[in-house]
Amino acid sequence: MRKPRVFVAGPVSWNRLVFVNRLPEARPHTVFASGHRTAVGGTSAGKALNLASLGADVTLRTVVGDDDAGQAVLDVLERAGVEVIAEVAAGATEQHLNLMDPHGGRVSIYLELPELRAAAHAARTAQALAAADAAVIDLAEHSRPLLAAARTAGVPVWCDLHDYDGVADFHRDFLDAADHVFLNDDAFKDGHDVAESAVLAFLKSLDKPAVATLGAAGALGVADGAVHRVPAVPIEEIVDTNGAGDAFFSGFLVAHLAGADMPAAMAAGAEQAARCLASPDLAPAV
């Protein structure tokens, strides 16, 4: 049986993760970390690594700087079997400082953001895109032109809108081009409560298959007018929440490409998210 072929375009980063007992308040004070480490990050790296761990044949087109951080990111991806088309940009590789609390809370501070002025691997990118069963086009200016390229090539477009609030202009091109839409519920939260009815109403308004992840409450999906729900898979200990949303997306996509319906694909996504949460990395070890 042929492996599913997935093209991913979007950001990668090299991150410093700093673990704190609770996220700091917005006032001048001193905080002591319980630990820290560096690791690969970025939503497209998370998806590529999870897709590869699930047996997909993955090509990732991304942007890095000509620096040690960029090489560190590429080394991780290539060791995982991801084919990388790396455009080298002016400036440093994208880097974040992530403050993490024990409950999955995170504050991500962008330290560096590369700027791609001209793509050097357009032909190779077009070839990989045309050969894919699905095109995952993540939120980034340098991936935005590939929305139209995927549509022209006739490859189904999958977009993860993250914390889209239904209004922000930045996401509009991705939403309009997508055949399948994912997002999380962050923009629909009122304090610590989620207005699930608002999430569901938004999913129904899209008139295309759409899924919203709800953290510990699982996920909601809408397809062909039908509403589907899946609970989060219980795990003994959450090790690291980084990459859990990308893991859910990847588990769903691989199951979908294998012929699963919406409920089965959502269940596969929840399983992969649980494996990711129990792992210290963006994707669980195979």
Side-chain angles (χ1 to χ4, degrees):
M1 182 172 160
R2 183 176 71 83
K3 288 184 177 182
R5 295 177 180 171
V6 183
F7 175 88
V8 182
V12 300
S13 60
W14 189 246
N15 297 345
R16 179 167 293 278
L17 309 181
V18 178
F19 302 95
V20 294
N21 291 330
R22 62 177 179 270
L23 296 179
E25 299 174 18
R27 60 178 178 82
H29 66 295
T30 299
V31 174
F32 289 91
S34 59
H36 60 88
R37 64 186 177 92
T38 54
V40 66
T43 189
S44 297
K47 291 183 178 71
L49 290 168
N50 276 280
L51 288 164
S53 78
L54 289 163
D57 185 350
V58 185
T59 298
L60 169 60
R61 187 270 198 180
T62 191
V63 175
V64 296
D66 184 13
D67 54 13
D68 291 342
Q71 190 57 56
V73 171
L74 296 178
D75 288 346
V76 172
L77 292 165
E78 288 167 0
R79 283 198 302 270
V82 177
E83 180 185 358
V84 182
I85 301 173
E87 299 287 1
V88 179
T93 296
E94 184 170 326
Q95 297 175 53
H96 306 168
L97 171 65
N98 288 351
L99 305 181
M100 309 288 301
D101 74 17
H103 311 293
R106 179 178 68 179
V107 173
S108 187
I109 303 169
Y110 277 66
L111 305 177
E112 302 283 357
L113 189 62
E115 179 184 353
L116 180 61
R117 294 175 181 168
H121 303 296
R124 185 180 167 201
T125 296
Q127 183 178 18
L129 176 56
D133 298 310
V136 179
I137 312 297
D138 279 326
L139 300 174
E141 285 298 339
H142 57 76
S143 60
R144 191 185 299 272
L146 296 174
L147 294 167
R151 301 295 294 181
T152 299
V155 180
V157 176
W158 293 64
C159 288
D160 180 357
L161 304 182
H162 295 275
D163 58 352
Y164 181 52
D165 60 3
V167 178
D169 288 338
F170 180 84
H171 304 69
R172 178 54 58 180
D173 290 344
F174 296 87
L175 175 59
D176 290 345
D179 297 292
H180 300 265
V181 171
F182 283 70
L183 69 155
N184 62 47
D185 63 359
D186 288 353
F188 298 89
K189 291 180 179 178
D190 180 12
H192 294 291
D193 297 324
V194 178
E196 187 174 299
S197 59
V199 176
L200 185 56
F202 178 72
L203 295 180
K204 287 182 175 179
S205 73
L206 299 181
D207 196 27
K208 62 181 74 178
V211 176
T213 54
L214 311 175
L220 276 173
V222 174
D224 298 323
V227 178
H228 307 280
R229 301 171 188 268
V230 65
V233 174
I235 60 172
E236 290 186 7
E237 179 186 3
I238 295 177
V239 176
D240 191 339
T241 59
N242 284 294
D246 297 319
F248 183 99
F249 180 107
S250 301
F252 184 107
L253 174 53
V254 169
H256 172 86
L257 292 177
D261 60 10
M262 173 74 87
M266 290 176 67
E271 291 283 353
Q272 184 68 6
R275 287 191 286 268
C276 181
L277 288 166
S279 164
D281 301 313
L282 280 182
V286 178

